[in-house]
Amino acid sequence: MMTKSGQIARACGNGLIVTVGVAFLLVFLLLAHQLTRSDQFSQSIDELKYPTMWKGIFPAELLSLGLAGSASATLLYVSSYAGTVTTLSLTLPDDDSATGAAATLESISNSTDCGPNPSWLSLDTADNLLFCLDEGFVGPFGGVTSFSVNDDGSITKLNKLDVIQGPVSIAEFGNSGNGLAIAHYSGSSVSVVDASPEGELTLVQNQTYALEGPGPNPERQEAPHPHEAILDPFGLYVLVPDLGADLVRVYKADADTLELTPVTPLTVKPGSGPRHGAFVAVTSFNVYFYLVSELANTITGYHVSYGEDNALGFREIFTIPTHGEPRELPAKTGAAEIVVSPDRKYLIVSSRWEDSFNITNFDSNNSTEIPSDPLITYSIDRATGNLTKVQEFPAGGRVPRHFSLNQDGSLVAVALQGDGRVVIIDRDIETGKLGDYVAHADVEGEVTAAIFRED
């Protein structure tokens, strides 16, 4: 499994190689012309290295491609229960197959300013801010911290706000995207924080819930456990799957005041334990919502309607096992993340504590295979909302709590909580299939999130 990625070369493409070759032939001819003119010999050698006349004739990025190195770098931010937020630099060779170079994933900075138990990261690219949630295991509070994102990828703490214990997810909303809707797992709450462009944090609202009695799974459903905050495609509602209450709480979002008003929740099968969800908007009249339930290990698809006064309605389309077909799973198995690809054609879910694959060790000096949980990919029928299974692929290790896709969907970053590792996997954007492991990095502690930063 530990092969180099032959697909990385598509980032350049054969057409670009030809273009660069033609460009440098023209540059050579122009430079030769300069050198053969006797009245130009007063120019210094240094001036001839980068003739001013090149500017405007060739695009700057084309010149820098030829004159600079042969690799491109992307940044990732990674949180860990060890109390760290780490910046990783992913370097992809421009042509792996031609040069034989390997991709690298290296730590370039580290911050402990989020708190002792970072659980979630959210990037505000418009204001160059990173928000980090501290779950606050030891209590009595959790925290939200804002960071400025520096040009070199490092982060600088701006502000920190104590909030109800157990924050695990953020949905950004509001006219300027300055509202942070936060789900609090252990605190049985949903809150809203106003984040200014300068990173100032102000509490707007808290809503805390209780159960009349434990749910069908009393060990996990002894209290409400809001697990994720999700913004609908039109910025009108925030949805919060509540694992403990077997509900998806629904709130109408005021884009001006940032207040969340509860409306009729979506009730799910008792004992299913809804965890995370994702929307797909085909058109304004054709919207789907996919819900992954941790305790039942299922995916449920809904058709979403916006009625009078934009009231939200849900019609269930299907409920299927996370693997698509019924199968015997270890008792501890728990579905985790669900993500829709940027082109809205594919859906990926992760499953934990299965150890359903054995893969080659990432340590080249260790021949012992390591267990891995799966990532499961489905294609989305945009006309009906139904899913068709495409692939099961090893996530690169144990407990893929979180994963994210880059902007064009060609790479997947997997946060492996059980192994203290981040793995980058190549992805075919046409077929939706995962391919080679591109790079990996060990991160201290239980990794909770890994997100891309792309300018």
Side-chain angles (χ1 to χ4, degrees):
M1 301 295 295
M2 291 295 294
T3 59
K4 295 194 295 292
S5 174
Q7 297 185 28
I8 295 176
R10 68 168 174 257
C12 296
N14 293 333
L16 181 56
I17 294 171
V18 172
T19 303
V20 171
V22 171
F24 278 97
L25 177 60
L26 291 172
V27 168
F28 174 80
L29 293 174
L30 285 166
L31 184 55
H33 179 65
Q34 283 274 74
L35 291 170
T36 55
R37 292 178 56 185
S38 59
D39 60 346
Q40 292 296 321
F41 278 112
S42 60
Q43 282 186 285
S44 70
I45 297 298
D46 286 338
E47 288 174 324
L48 285 174
K49 287 180 182 176
Y50 304 97
T52 305
M53 62 184 296
W54 291 6
K55 298 177 181 178
I57 298 178
F58 306 105
E61 53 273 1
L62 183 57
L63 288 174
S64 64
L65 178 64
L67 298 172
S70 60
S72 59
T74 296
L75 297 178
L76 294 95
Y77 294 107
V78 178
S79 57
S80 165
Y81 279 152
T84 59
V85 177
T86 302
T87 305
L88 298 179
S89 176
L90 171 66
T91 302
L92 300 176
D94 285 335
D95 190 347
D96 189 25
S97 59
T99 66
T104 60
L105 186 62
E106 300 177 330
S107 173
I108 60 174
S109 73
N110 191 280
S111 172
T112 57
D113 287 332
C114 179
N117 312 117
S119 59
W120 185 269
L121 298 173
S122 184
L123 189 62
D124 179 352
T125 54
D127 293 320
N128 262 349
L129 297 175
L130 179 73
F131 301 107
C132 178
L133 296 180
D134 169 27
E135 200 163 345
F137 287 153
V138 297
F141 301 107
V144 186
T145 302
S146 61
F147 295 88
S148 62
V149 176
N150 304 315
D151 290 341
D152 64 357
S154 63
I155 57 177
T156 302
K157 178 183 173 182
L158 297 174
N159 196 5
K160 184 169 184 177
L161 178 70
D162 286 340
V163 294
I164 291 173
Q165 190 179 21
V168 290
S169 172
I170 291 174
E172 298 181 40
F173 74 103
N175 287 330
S176 302
N178 57 311
L180 308 180
I182 302 173
H184 301 253
Y185 182 85
S186 60
S188 302
S189 302
V190 175
S191 67
V192 178
V193 170
D194 185 350
S196 75
E198 296 74 34
E200 293 295 321
L201 302 172
T202 306
L203 182 65
V204 175
Q205 186 179 19
N206 277 327
Q207 300 188 52
T208 301
Y209 300 94
L211 295 178
E212 293 182 358
N217 186 331
E219 184 178 345
R220 298 293 308 280
Q221 297 184 307
E222 82 294 351
H225 290 306
H227 215 305
E228 186 183 31
I230 309 157
L231 186 65
D232 84 307
F234 309 112
L236 301 174
Y237 292 89
V238 170
L239 275 61
V240 179
D242 188 329
L243 184 148
D246 286 325
L247 296 172
V248 178
R249 300 187 186 276
V250 182
Y251 303 88
K252 195 162 188 178
D254 190 312
D256 296 315
T257 68
L258 303 182
E259 290 188 2
L260 298 181
T261 302
V263 296
T264 304
L266 171 62
T267 302
V268 302
K269 184 178 178 180
S272 60
R275 179 182 172 96
H276 283 193
F279 279 96
V280 174
V282 179
T283 68
S284 58
F285 302 102
N286 201 11
V287 178
Y288 304 111
F289 178 66
Y290 298 98
L291 179 69
V292 65
S293 294
E294 176 179 340
L295 303 183
N297 291 296
T298 57
I299 306 169
T300 303
Y302 299 90
H303 183 270
V304 182
S305 60
Y306 292 79
E308 188 175 347
D309 295 327
N310 287 319
L312 208 58
F314 298 89
R315 176 178 60 83
E316 183 175 333
I317 305 170
F318 63 82
T319 295
I320 59 173
T322 50
H323 286 271
E325 70 283 343
R327 70 171 63 173
E328 185 101 17
L329 296 173
K332 60 185 178 180
T333 299
E337 188 59 279
I338 182 168
V339 172
V340 171
S341 61
D343 59 9
R344 297 171 295 173
K345 294 180 179 180
Y346 296 95
L347 178 145
I348 310 172
V349 297
S350 65
S351 183
R352 301 165 297 167
W353 303 299
E354 287 191 25
D355 293 350
S356 51
F357 289 92
N358 287 313
I359 62 175
T360 302
N361 203 306
F362 287 90
D363 181 355
S364 59
N365 296 318
N366 190 337
S367 61
T368 304
E369 291 188 331
I370 60 174
S372 176
D373 292 319
L375 298 178
I376 308 157
T377 298
Y378 293 88
S379 63
I380 301 171
D381 186 321
R382 293 160 65 88
T384 66
N386 286 313
L387 301 179
T388 300
K389 188 173 175 180
V390 172
Q391 181 193 40
E392 287 188 35
F393 190 88
R398 284 175 159 167
V399 194
R401 169 182 171 134
H402 179 269
F403 64 91
S404 63
L405 276 65
N406 66 340
Q407 288 177 358
D408 69 359
S410 62
L411 296 172
V412 181
V414 187
L416 294 160
Q417 184 178 0
D419 285 347
R421 183 186 308 120
V422 174
V423 173
I424 308 298
I425 306 175
D426 191 41
R427 179 177 176 273
D428 189 312
I429 60 176
E430 297 300 327
T431 67
K433 289 185 176 182
L434 304 183
D436 296 334
Y437 298 123
V438 174
H440 73 280
D442 293 330
V443 177
E444 182 185 0
E446 299 178 53
V447 183
T448 56
I451 61 174
F452 287 92
R453 174 195 167 188
E454 297 174 276
D455 296 326

